[in-house]
């Protein structure tokens, strides 16, 4: 059974930035890439930095600690030192509400 969590408003997250939200104590990073929204785990798979604090370029976020890059759409790790992906979450937009679907 899926659960839905309204976590933010679209106006909370400017294009090219991210926001950390929490669902059941789990930090999730919501990214706005040119008006499209994506959600991945906010915990880097290398050493647990917050990916929502990383630099965003197109659909790639660079971890602020050691420079691993992740695909914002899928959570896939793109370079060292990360060797595993981060979890991707489904979301939906209704009006200005961003909802995580788990
Ligand atoms: S914590 Fe992200 S690259 Fe090291």
């Amino acid at each position: 059974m899926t659960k839905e969590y309204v976590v933010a408003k679209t106006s909370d997250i400017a294009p090219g930035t991210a926001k950390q939200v929490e669902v059941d104590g789990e930090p999730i990073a919501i990214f706005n890439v040119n008006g499209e929204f994506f959600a991945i785990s906010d915990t880097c798979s290398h050493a647990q930095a917050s990916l929502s604090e990383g630099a965003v370029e197109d659909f790639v976020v660079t971890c602020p600690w050691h420079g691993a890059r992740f695909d914002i759409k899928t959570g896939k790790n793109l370079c060292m030192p990360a060797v595993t992906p981060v979890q991707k979450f489904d979301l939906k937009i209704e009006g200005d509400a961003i909802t995580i679907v788990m």
Side-chain angles (χ1 to χ4, degrees):
M1 186 175 140
T2 60
K3 288 186 177 177
E4 298 188 353
Y5 302 86
V6 178
V7 291
K9 293 179 181 177
T10 54
S11 57
D12 292 341
I13 310 168
T17 69
K19 176 183 173 71
Q20 183 194 78
V21 300
E22 281 198 12
V23 173
D24 281 346
E26 179 172 349
I28 295 174
I30 310 286
F31 292 88
N32 176 345
V33 181
N34 299 323
E36 279 189 274
F37 292 84
F38 303 93
I40 60 175
S41 170
D42 195 32
T43 305
C44 180
S45 60
H46 175 237
Q48 304 190 338
S50 174
L51 293 177
S52 61
E53 296 175 8
V56 176
E57 186 172 351
D58 295 327
F59 294 99
V60 175
V61 60
T62 300
C63 177
W65 281 7
H66 312 108
R69 288 182 289 128
F70 295 88
D71 186 319
I72 288 170
K73 288 182 170 179
T74 64
K76 180 176 172 38
N77 51 305
L78 301 175
C79 71
M80 296 291 279
V83 294
T84 55
V86 294
Q87 185 175 358
K88 170 210 178 241
F89 297 91
D90 292 329
L91 58 73
K92 63 182 182 182
I93 309 292
E94 290 173 322
D96 69 347
I98 301 172
T99 301
I100 299 277
V101 181
M102 299 176 85

